[in-house]
Amino acid sequence: MRLRQVLVVVAALGLLCVPAHADARDIGRDTLAPDDGWAAYGTGTTGGAAADDAHVHTVTDRAGLVRALDGGSATPKIIKIAGTIDANTDDDGDHLDCADYATDGYSLKKYLSAYDPRTWGPARPSGAQEEARQASAAKQAERVVLTVGSNTTIVGLGEGAVLKGASLQVRNADNVILRNLDLRDAYDCFPVWQPNTGGLGDWKTAYDNVWLTGSTHVWVDHITASDRGHPDAKEPTYFARNYLRHDGLLDITNGSDLVTVSWSRFADHDKAMLIGNGDTATGDRGKLRVTLHHNQFESVVQRAPRVRFGQVHVYDNRYVVTDDHRYSLGVSTESAIHAENNAFHTPGHVEVADLVKSWNGTALHQSGTLFNGWPVDLLAIHNAYNSGSERDLTADVGWTPTLHGKIDSAEVADREVAHGAGAGRIP
């Protein structure tokens, strides 16, 4: 039998596996286009595109990913994630749960008993159970915190690259690309009780799916970030507050700068994206320059995004609002949000005035906004409906974006983002 006939028979039996996209380009070598948002400014963003063959890794488990990250080194590297990687695993690849991390006598029952506000009062937790909680949290952090260094590209292969339970932390790095990744459930086993947060106290969690801190020239593209697997809405209530397990989906803080977030999906979460972490962080002035375009914020309660200090261009994004929505655009201290051609879909009880929230903010530029298919002026409606509780915002944010690709109408962007945003959808 000739070789061609053998291959036909083998294929018919389902024994021959030919990659569906064997001739597809290597997205690990992709770099950011010259005009694609703030991350294109100056030297641009190339990630690990310059990596030699010895620093191109395909990883399938946590141990391989840790080796490839090389302790957050600045060596140019491309890391390709294949399949699902669970960060909550030991060195043998066995799954770890919260009980495996608990140490020094920590238990949630004892913790709740020790720091019940009715008996403990308003002071921060201290003593044996808080020390045990910290020790337990440190054990989990050793597994789930993954540090990403300069000149690094991390990409998912195909449509099923999942990183579960991890917190990717880009710390004091430059020139990083994260693409085509499904980032799920950065679950904190050991939240801390903060008695005075929000006046009533609250639970504080440790991990963002992605955290940019002190980093520059970062491109985040075609990721999906969510709490999938452990939604906070299903967590119990302790001390009359939801026992939160997740922090942000993507937070950009501590002087990070020149960031582009594109074609990504942020879903099923409370506090999605924080840009600038403190009203007193005046060192952030002149930094936190971020572009958000063609992203979908879906079933997100708040922070989509909330901004302090930064010049943030928010264009051609799609918002799918659900019942527990608080606000979408957060205008905070010295923020300069330039929002254009964004589309919002909301249930009947969520009004245009609910989309913007201001804390010490002074300005918001908006144009081309669609609300349930109708053009609206977010700024005018915010000022009209919130003048009794918040100061009026002006339209002058002090800058006009120049680094961007083609800006579509909100109507066109709405359709394109619905079909094209998120992991597994790179054209």
Side-chain angles (χ1 to χ4, degrees):
M1 185 179 293
R2 294 181 180 179
L3 177 60
R4 179 182 178 86
Q5 293 172 309
V6 171
L7 291 176
V8 169
V9 172
V10 172
L13 294 173
L15 301 175
L16 183 63
C17 297
V18 179
H21 303 288
D23 59 344
R25 76 178 191 278
D26 179 4
I27 64 171
R29 298 285 180 181
D30 285 357
T31 61
L32 183 66
D35 61 350
D36 196 349
W38 274 119
Y41 185 83
T43 57
T45 302
T46 59
D52 58 27
D53 289 345
H55 292 93
V56 177
H57 312 275
T58 298
V59 299
T60 59
D61 58 17
R62 179 193 174 278
L65 177 56
V66 169
R67 287 192 298 271
L69 286 167
D70 191 27
S73 78
T75 304
K77 63 185 77 68
I78 298 171
I79 302 171
K80 303 176 181 181
I81 292 179
T84 297
I85 293 178
D86 184 355
N88 287 291
T89 52
D90 63 19
D91 290 340
D92 295 324
D94 295 326
H95 179 72
L96 299 171
D97 59 24
C98 294
D100 295 312
Y101 296 124
T103 190
D104 294 352
Y106 172 86
S107 80
L108 178 58
K109 183 177 180 180
K110 292 178 181 178
Y111 190 88
L112 294 173
S113 176
Y115 306 115
D116 189 325
R118 294 171 296 182
T119 54
W120 178 259
R124 289 183 177 275
S126 63
Q129 272 300 301
E130 172 57 15
E131 291 170 5
R133 187 204 65 80
Q134 292 179 22
S136 303
K139 287 184 65 175
Q140 186 184 20
E142 289 177 0
R143 311 309 299 180
V144 303
V145 172
L146 302 174
T147 302
V148 181
S150 299
N151 308 312
T152 299
T153 292
I154 305 178
V155 299
L157 293 179
E159 298 179 0
V162 177
L163 185 54
K164 183 170 64 173
S167 178
L168 286 180
Q169 300 191 1
V170 185
R171 292 176 169 267
N172 303 316
D174 179 70
N175 194 31
V176 172
I177 295 174
L178 307 175
R179 301 187 76 201
N180 200 42
L181 298 168
D182 185 343
L183 305 171
R184 300 179 186 172
D185 193 25
Y187 187 86
D188 186 350
C189 287
F190 307 101
V192 61
W193 173 245
Q194 294 189 328
N196 295 319
T197 301
L200 299 174
D202 211 346
W203 293 99
K204 175 67 175 175
T205 56
Y207 308 121
D208 305 315
N209 292 42
V210 181
W211 182 28
L212 312 184
T213 174
S215 295
T216 55
H217 289 108
V218 180
W219 179 28
V220 179
D221 178 67
H222 279 94
I223 71 164
T224 296
S226 73
D227 297 345
R228 183 172 173 179
H230 289 101
D232 279 338
K234 293 188 177 181
E235 294 292 336
T237 297
Y238 299 124
F239 307 154
R241 305 292 280 177
N242 184 222
Y243 191 53
L244 297 174
R245 298 292 195 153
H246 305 89
D247 195 4
L249 293 177
L250 168 59
D251 281 5
I252 303 168
T253 65
N254 298 308
S256 290
D257 197 20
L258 306 177
V259 177
T260 297
V261 182
S262 56
W263 293 100
S264 292
R265 180 173 174 264
F266 302 94
D268 305 318
H269 188 81
D270 185 358
K271 301 169 182 176
M273 185 182 298
L274 183 65
I275 301 175
N277 58 311
D279 292 341
T280 60
T282 55
D284 285 343
R285 287 174 178 150
K287 301 177 181 178
L288 298 173
R289 291 172 289 180
V290 179
T291 300
L292 307 176
H293 73 84
H294 293 92
N295 302 293
Q296 177 155 307
F297 295 91
E298 178 182 345
S299 301
V300 165
V301 177
Q302 56 189 315
R303 297 185 183 176
R306 178 178 177 178
V307 181
R308 296 178 175 96
F309 296 104
Q311 294 181 345
V312 180
H313 191 194
V314 183
Y315 76 88
D316 280 351
N317 298 286
R318 182 175 195 259
Y319 294 79
V320 182
V321 171
T322 49
D323 288 342
D324 54 356
H325 174 266
R326 289 184 58 190
Y327 69 90
S328 293
L329 300 178
V331 183
S332 296
T333 302
E334 297 185 35
S335 63
I337 300 173
H338 194 285
E340 53 185 321
N341 297 14
N342 298 292
F344 293 84
H345 302 267
T346 77
H349 69 280
V350 176
E351 302 178 358
V352 177
D354 299 320
L355 301 179
V356 177
K357 175 71 176 174
S358 175
W359 299 263
N360 302 318
T362 60
L364 169 68
H365 170 92
Q366 79 82 45
S367 60
T369 305
L370 282 184
F371 177 78
N372 290 331
W374 295 92
V376 296
D377 186 328
L378 281 181
L379 180 62
I381 294 173
H382 169 81
N383 288 342
Y385 280 81
N386 295 287
S387 59
S389 57
E390 301 174 12
R391 74 174 72 179
D392 284 355
L393 301 174
T394 71
D396 183 7
V397 295
W399 73 294
T400 301
T402 58
L403 271 176
H404 55 77
K406 178 178 180 290
I407 298 178
D408 294 313
S409 69
E411 183 178 13
V412 170
D414 188 39
R415 293 195 302 268
E416 293 184 349
V417 171
H419 292 96
R425 295 182 174 184
I426 294 179

